[in-house]
Amino acid sequence: MVQQIEQRHLDFVKDARKTFEENSEMHTYRNGTHDDNDTLIALRYGMDRDCILVYELGECVANFVQQTRPVPNPRNEVMKFAFEMEKQLSANEHKGGWKRDHHQDLTGFLLLNLEKLRHELIKIPPNRDKQEITKRCANIANFAMMVTDNEGNNNES
């Protein structure tokens, strides 16, 4: 059941919106932490994750639609692949990152991994190493991400 919307609810939505905008991975926001002020909970949801659903002690207050920038929820395949990319980045953490690497070096490593992937893929299917294929694909994606991080639209300079 929906109840009367009060100014405190609107203020809470404003705080939740700000928090969700600052952290696109966050799904839940609360107005307190285990004390008397902990009465409101905001949930980010919707196809584009741009809606905020507010609950007060389990009761729905209101559905505030399109309150944040749309942030699509990646497909399971994309998330699984992103975890593989992160796994490869973590395995190479000791190398110190890519911020100072020239795009020619990064694309060279990308092509080297592409060639290793091609060698694995030309094998007869029972002889293919699926872990090697996944590793090479993640490395290729990581080197492409490094190039865009240094040279593309995401570059802050």
Side-chain angles (χ1 to χ4, degrees):
M1 172 166 275
V2 177
Q3 67 183 48
Q4 181 79 26
I5 297 173
E6 301 172 9
Q7 184 60 46
R8 65 188 179 92
H9 297 131
L10 298 174
D11 292 341
F12 176 70
V13 169
K14 183 179 175 184
D15 291 342
R17 179 187 312 124
K18 181 180 179 213
T19 302
F20 290 145
E21 287 286 321
E22 292 172 353
N23 184 350
S24 64
E25 298 299 314
M26 188 174 230
H27 301 285
T28 305
Y29 175 76
R30 297 172 75 162
N31 68 333
T33 53
H34 309 296
D35 58 23
D36 292 339
N37 294 328
D38 189 15
T39 58
L40 298 173
I41 299 170
L43 303 176
R44 179 183 214 156
Y45 85 105
M47 181 174 248
D48 289 326
R49 298 177 53 237
D50 61 346
C51 303
I52 298 174
L53 186 62
V54 175
Y55 286 93
E56 184 169 17
L57 298 175
E59 294 293 325
C60 182
V61 173
N63 178 6
F64 297 90
V65 299
Q66 298 174 333
Q67 293 294 307
T68 63
R69 272 180 293 117
V71 181
N73 196 12
R75 299 172 188 186
N76 286 336
E77 296 85 356
V78 173
M79 292 302 295
K80 285 171 46 178
F81 190 67
F83 284 120
E84 288 297 327
M85 290 174 65
E86 183 59 40
K87 184 175 161 183
Q88 290 305 311
L89 286 173
S90 295
N92 291 289
E93 192 82 31
H94 64 280
K95 295 180 181 177
W98 58 87
K99 292 293 187 184
R100 296 178 192 212
D101 289 337
H102 193 275
H103 64 81
Q104 288 179 332
D105 295 324
L106 295 172
T107 55
F109 290 128
L110 188 153
L111 292 171
L112 177 67
N113 277 276
L114 181 59
E115 190 59 30
K116 290 180 180 182
L117 173 63
R118 287 175 42 140
H119 282 334
E120 197 61 41
L121 290 173
I122 62 173
K123 294 178 182 177
I124 298 170
N127 297 326
R128 290 181 185 163
D129 183 342
K130 291 185 178 201
Q131 287 181 330
E132 181 69 11
I133 292 169
T134 300
K135 177 182 174 181
R136 294 301 163 197
C137 288
N139 282 341
I140 292 165
N142 280 334
F143 285 117
M145 178 273 305
M146 292 172 193
V147 171
T148 197
D149 190 44
N150 290 350
E151 306 290 338
N153 287 340
N154 295 336
N155 188 344
E156 295 176 357
S157 55

mmCIF file of all heavy atoms in Angstrom, residues 4-26:
data_model
loop_
_atom_site.group_PDB
_atom_site.id
_atom_site.type_symbol
_atom_site.label_atom_id
_atom_site.label_comp_id
_atom_site.label_asym_id
_atom_site.label_seq_id
_atom_site.Cartn_x
_atom_site.Cartn_y
_atom_site.Cartn_z
ATOM 1 N N GLN A 4 1.125 8.517 2.199
ATOM 2 C CA GLN A 4 1.316 9.943 1.932
ATOM 3 C C GLN A 4 2.807 10.242 1.790
ATOM 4 O O GLN A 4 3.607 9.867 2.633
ATOM 5 C CB GLN A 4 0.736 10.764 3.097
ATOM 6 C CG GLN A 4 0.844 12.254 2.946
ATOM 7 C CD GLN A 4 -0.208 12.817 2.033
ATOM 8 O OE1 GLN A 4 -1.266 12.241 1.878
ATOM 9 N NE2 GLN A 4 0.069 13.949 1.427
ATOM 10 N N ILE A 5 3.171 10.919 0.700
ATOM 11 C CA ILE A 5 4.570 11.309 0.491
ATOM 12 C C ILE A 5 4.818 12.597 1.256
ATOM 13 O O ILE A 5 4.085 13.575 1.110
ATOM 14 C CB ILE A 5 4.882 11.504 -1.008
ATOM 15 C CG1 ILE A 5 4.696 10.185 -1.753
ATOM 16 C CG2 ILE A 5 6.292 12.034 -1.199
ATOM 17 C CD1 ILE A 5 4.824 10.302 -3.248
ATOM 18 N N GLU A 6 5.882 12.569 2.068
ATOM 19 C CA GLU A 6 6.249 13.726 2.882
ATOM 20 C C GLU A 6 7.561 14.306 2.375
ATOM 21 O O GLU A 6 8.280 13.673 1.603
ATOM 22 C CB GLU A 6 6.395 13.292 4.341
ATOM 23 C CG GLU A 6 5.133 12.694 4.927
ATOM 24 C CD GLU A 6 5.344 12.101 6.307
ATOM 25 O OE1 GLU A 6 6.435 12.294 6.896
ATOM 26 O OE2 GLU A 6 4.420 11.434 6.790
ATOM 27 N N GLN A 7 7.883 15.511 2.852
ATOM 28 C CA GLN A 7 9.114 16.175 2.433
ATOM 29 C C GLN A 7 10.344 15.320 2.768
ATOM 30 O O GLN A 7 11.284 15.255 1.992
ATOM 31 C CB GLN A 7 9.244 17.560 3.089
ATOM 32 C CG GLN A 7 10.450 18.353 2.613
ATOM 33 C CD GLN A 7 10.439 18.622 1.118
ATOM 34 O OE1 GLN A 7 9.416 19.025 0.566
ATOM 35 N NE2 GLN A 7 11.556 18.385 0.442
ATOM 36 N N ARG A 8 10.321 14.613 3.875
ATOM 37 C CA ARG A 8 11.461 13.767 4.247
ATOM 38 C C ARG A 8 11.684 12.664 3.205
ATOM 39 O O ARG A 8 12.807 12.260 2.947
ATOM 40 C CB ARG A 8 11.309 13.195 5.655
ATOM 41 C CG ARG A 8 10.171 12.235 5.829
ATOM 42 C CD ARG A 8 9.959 11.859 7.306
ATOM 43 N NE ARG A 8 8.855 10.952 7.428
ATOM 44 C CZ ARG A 8 8.959 9.642 7.420
ATOM 45 N NH1 ARG A 8 10.130 9.063 7.326
ATOM 46 N NH2 ARG A 8 7.886 8.878 7.539
ATOM 47 N N HIS A 9 10.586 12.183 2.585
ATOM 48 C CA HIS A 9 10.717 11.178 1.525
ATOM 49 C C HIS A 9 11.391 11.798 0.302
ATOM 50 O O HIS A 9 12.274 11.190 -0.304
ATOM 51 C CB HIS A 9 9.345 10.611 1.129
ATOM 52 C CG HIS A 9 8.661 9.895 2.242
ATOM 53 N ND1 HIS A 9 7.357 10.144 2.568
ATOM 54 C CD2 HIS A 9 9.102 8.951 3.103
ATOM 55 C CE1 HIS A 9 7.004 9.377 3.595
ATOM 56 N NE2 HIS A 9 8.057 8.644 3.931
ATOM 57 N N LEU A 10 10.965 12.995 -0.061
ATOM 58 C CA LEU A 10 11.560 13.678 -1.207
ATOM 59 C C LEU A 10 13.032 13.997 -0.960
ATOM 60 O O LEU A 10 13.870 13.852 -1.855
ATOM 61 C CB LEU A 10 10.776 14.944 -1.538
ATOM 62 C CG LEU A 10 9.316 14.729 -1.939
ATOM 63 C CD1 LEU A 10 8.603 16.066 -2.104
ATOM 64 C CD2 LEU A 10 9.218 13.889 -3.191
ATOM 65 N N ASP A 11 13.368 14.409 0.266
ATOM 66 C CA ASP A 11 14.772 14.672 0.623
ATOM 67 C C ASP A 11 15.590 13.384 0.540
ATOM 68 O O ASP A 11 16.725 13.387 0.068
ATOM 69 C CB ASP A 11 14.870 15.258 2.032
ATOM 70 C CG ASP A 11 14.281 16.657 2.133
ATOM 71 O OD1 ASP A 11 14.122 17.317 1.080
ATOM 72 O OD2 ASP A 11 13.965 17.073 3.276
ATOM 73 N N PHE A 12 14.984 12.281 0.977
ATOM 74 C CA PHE A 12 15.665 10.991 0.933
ATOM 75 C C PHE A 12 15.913 10.559 -0.511
ATOM 76 O O PHE A 12 16.987 10.054 -0.842
ATOM 77 C CB PHE A 12 14.826 9.941 1.684
ATOM 78 C CG PHE A 12 15.390 8.558 1.616
ATOM 79 C CD1 PHE A 12 16.569 8.231 2.285
ATOM 80 C CD2 PHE A 12 14.765 7.571 0.882
ATOM 81 C CE1 PHE A 12 17.089 6.961 2.219
ATOM 82 C CE2 PHE A 12 15.280 6.295 0.812
ATOM 83 C CZ PHE A 12 16.445 5.993 1.480
ATOM 84 N N VAL A 13 14.936 10.764 -1.385
ATOM 85 C CA VAL A 13 15.108 10.418 -2.799
ATOM 86 C C VAL A 13 16.259 11.237 -3.389
ATOM 87 O O VAL A 13 17.076 10.716 -4.151
ATOM 88 C CB VAL A 13 13.805 10.636 -3.601
ATOM 89 C CG1 VAL A 13 14.051 10.546 -5.097
ATOM 90 C CG2 VAL A 13 12.771 9.623 -3.187
ATOM 91 N N LYS A 14 16.335 12.505 -3.016
ATOM 92 C CA LYS A 14 17.414 13.373 -3.502
ATOM 93 C C LYS A 14 18.774 12.822 -3.057
ATOM 94 O O LYS A 14 19.715 12.745 -3.852
ATOM 95 C CB LYS A 14 17.202 14.791 -2.976
ATOM 96 C CG LYS A 14 18.215 15.791 -3.459
ATOM 97 C CD LYS A 14 17.901 17.178 -2.904
ATOM 98 C CE LYS A 14 18.984 18.154 -3.277
ATOM 99 N NZ LYS A 14 18.736 19.477 -2.678
ATOM 100 N N ASP A 15 18.886 12.419 -1.790
ATOM 101 C CA ASP A 15 20.140 11.839 -1.282
ATOM 102 C C ASP A 15 20.459 10.521 -1.982
ATOM 103 O O ASP A 15 21.603 10.265 -2.344
ATOM 104 C CB ASP A 15 20.045 11.603 0.233
ATOM 105 C CG ASP A 15 20.002 12.888 1.031
ATOM 106 O OD1 ASP A 15 20.376 13.955 0.488
ATOM 107 O OD2 ASP A 15 19.571 12.830 2.200
ATOM 108 N N ALA A 16 19.445 9.687 -2.163
ATOM 109 C CA ALA A 16 19.644 8.397 -2.833
ATOM 110 C C ALA A 16 20.093 8.614 -4.273
ATOM 111 O O ALA A 16 21.008 7.943 -4.755
ATOM 112 C CB ALA A 16 18.364 7.568 -2.781
ATOM 113 N N ARG A 17 19.457 9.551 -4.975
ATOM 114 C CA ARG A 17 19.824 9.855 -6.363
ATOM 115 C C ARG A 17 21.290 10.256 -6.442
ATOM 116 O O ARG A 17 22.038 9.761 -7.281
ATOM 117 C CB ARG A 17 18.953 10.972 -6.915
ATOM 118 C CG ARG A 17 19.308 11.357 -8.348
ATOM 119 C CD ARG A 17 18.560 12.578 -8.876
ATOM 120 N NE ARG A 17 17.134 12.515 -8.638
ATOM 121 C CZ ARG A 17 16.437 13.455 -7.975
ATOM 122 N NH1 ARG A 17 17.031 14.526 -7.504
ATOM 123 N NH2 ARG A 17 15.141 13.306 -7.814
ATOM 124 N N LYS A 18 21.718 11.132 -5.556
ATOM 125 C CA LYS A 18 23.115 11.589 -5.538
ATOM 126 C C LYS A 18 24.064 10.413 -5.301
ATOM 127 O O LYS A 18 25.065 10.256 -5.996
ATOM 128 C CB LYS A 18 23.309 12.654 -4.461
ATOM 129 C CG LYS A 18 24.716 13.197 -4.399
ATOM 130 C CD LYS A 18 24.866 14.252 -3.316
ATOM 131 C CE LYS A 18 26.312 14.712 -3.311
ATOM 132 N NZ LYS A 18 26.772 15.074 -2.006
ATOM 133 N N THR A 19 23.725 9.568 -4.350
ATOM 134 C CA THR A 19 24.557 8.403 -4.038
ATOM 135 C C THR A 19 24.626 7.443 -5.218
ATOM 136 O O THR A 19 25.703 6.965 -5.574
ATOM 137 C CB THR A 19 24.022 7.681 -2.787
ATOM 138 O OG1 THR A 19 24.015 8.608 -1.699
ATOM 139 C CG2 THR A 19 24.880 6.484 -2.433
ATOM 140 N N PHE A 20 23.493 7.161 -5.855
ATOM 141 C CA PHE A 20 23.479 6.250 -7.000
ATOM 142 C C PHE A 20 24.237 6.841 -8.187
ATOM 143 O O PHE A 20 24.894 6.120 -8.935
ATOM 144 C CB PHE A 20 22.048 5.913 -7.416
ATOM 145 C CG PHE A 20 21.311 5.032 -6.440
ATOM 146 C CD1 PHE A 20 19.954 5.214 -6.232
ATOM 147 C CD2 PHE A 20 21.959 4.022 -5.743
ATOM 148 C CE1 PHE A 20 19.259 4.409 -5.340
ATOM 149 C CE2 PHE A 20 21.277 3.205 -4.866
ATOM 150 C CZ PHE A 20 19.917 3.406 -4.644
ATOM 151 N N GLU A 21 24.162 8.153 -8.370
ATOM 152 C CA GLU A 21 24.902 8.797 -9.461
ATOM 153 C C GLU A 21 26.409 8.691 -9.226
ATOM 154 O O GLU A 21 27.183 8.527 -10.166
ATOM 155 C CB GLU A 21 24.505 10.271 -9.586
ATOM 156 C CG GLU A 21 23.137 10.496 -10.164
ATOM 157 C CD GLU A 21 23.079 10.238 -11.657
ATOM 158 O OE1 GLU A 21 24.024 10.588 -12.379
ATOM 159 O OE2 GLU A 21 22.079 9.664 -12.088
ATOM 160 N N GLU A 22 26.822 8.778 -7.966
ATOM 161 C CA GLU A 22 28.248 8.696 -7.638
ATOM 162 C C GLU A 22 28.787 7.275 -7.733
ATOM 163 O O GLU A 22 29.974 7.080 -7.950
ATOM 164 C CB GLU A 22 28.494 9.251 -6.224
ATOM 165 C CG GLU A 22 28.275 10.731 -6.117
ATOM 166 C CD GLU A 22 28.317 11.259 -4.700
ATOM 167 O OE1 GLU A 22 28.392 10.461 -3.734
ATOM 168 O OE2 GLU A 22 28.255 12.485 -4.546
ATOM 169 N N ASN A 23 27.922 6.281 -7.561
ATOM 170 C CA ASN A 23 28.352 4.888 -7.588
ATOM 171 C C ASN A 23 27.355 4.066 -8.401
ATOM 172 O O ASN A 23 26.337 3.625 -7.879
ATOM 173 C CB ASN A 23 28.472 4.334 -6.162
ATOM 174 C CG ASN A 23 29.006 2.933 -6.129
ATOM 175 O OD1 ASN A 23 29.138 2.266 -7.161
ATOM 176 N ND2 ASN A 23 29.312 2.454 -4.948
ATOM 177 N N SER A 24 27.661 3.857 -9.686
ATOM 178 C CA SER A 24 26.727 3.168 -10.577
ATOM 179 C C SER A 24 26.550 1.696 -10.214
ATOM 180 O O SER A 24 25.616 1.057 -10.674
ATOM 181 C CB SER A 24 27.174 3.301 -12.029
ATOM 182 O OG SER A 24 28.409 2.659 -12.223
ATOM 183 N N GLU A 25 27.436 1.129 -9.398
ATOM 184 C CA GLU A 25 27.318 -0.275 -8.996
ATOM 185 C C GLU A 25 26.385 -0.461 -7.796
ATOM 186 O O GLU A 25 25.967 -1.570 -7.505
ATOM 187 C CB GLU A 25 28.701 -0.839 -8.648
ATOM 188 C CG GLU A 25 29.668 -0.824 -9.811
ATOM 189 C CD GLU A 25 29.183 -1.651 -10.982
ATOM 190 O OE1 GLU A 25 28.738 -2.787 -10.758
ATOM 191 O OE2 GLU A 25 29.225 -1.144 -12.113
ATOM 192 N N MET A 26 26.077 0.612 -7.099
ATOM 193 C CA MET A 26 25.256 0.534 -5.893
ATOM 194 C C MET A 26 23.799 0.284 -6.261
ATOM 195 O O MET A 26 23.268 0.893 -7.198
ATOM 196 C CB MET A 26 25.400 1.824 -5.105
ATOM 197 C CG MET A 26 24.772 1.806 -3.759
ATOM 198 S SD MET A 26 25.182 3.332 -2.886
ATOM 199 C CE MET A 26 25.740 2.643 -1.357
#
